[in-house]
Amino acid sequence: MKASELRAKDVAELEKEISDLLKAHFGLRMQKATQQLSNHSVLGKTRRDIARAKTVLAQKKKEAAQ
């Protein structure tokens, strides 16, 4: 997911997106643990997406506070 797509969302949508990404990341970690995950690069991509979404959310909250 691109940062421009995330910036178009509001705070509630971003929080839902982060929640969904965390659930997806947990599922991928469980697949890795049981050796069902064939593409391990997906873990890094979801981790970066989570970080990107959290960054945009923090920026939006900071803007709202000002």
Side-chain angles (χ1 to χ4, degrees):
M1 177 159 299
K2 295 188 176 200
S4 59
E5 296 172 4
L6 292 171
R7 286 189 184 100
K9 296 183 178 188
D10 65 351
V11 174
E13 290 174 335
L14 281 172
E15 288 173 344
K16 181 169 180 354
E17 184 71 30
I18 291 170
S19 172
D20 293 344
L21 285 168
L22 287 170
K23 288 177 186 175
H25 187 67
F26 178 78
L28 289 170
R29 286 192 347 246
M30 292 302 108
Q31 285 182 8
K32 182 182 177 195
T34 58
Q35 285 146 13
Q36 296 175 346
L37 186 64
S38 59
N39 187 2
H40 295 282
S41 67
V42 179
L43 282 169
K45 289 179 185 175
T46 55
R47 218 172 40 239
R48 280 190 295 274
D49 285 343
I50 292 167
R52 193 174 291 124
K54 284 185 175 181
T55 300
V56 172
L57 179 63
Q59 289 172 348
K60 284 193 176 276
K61 285 186 176 181
K62 185 177 178 184
E63 287 174 5
Q66 289 180 351

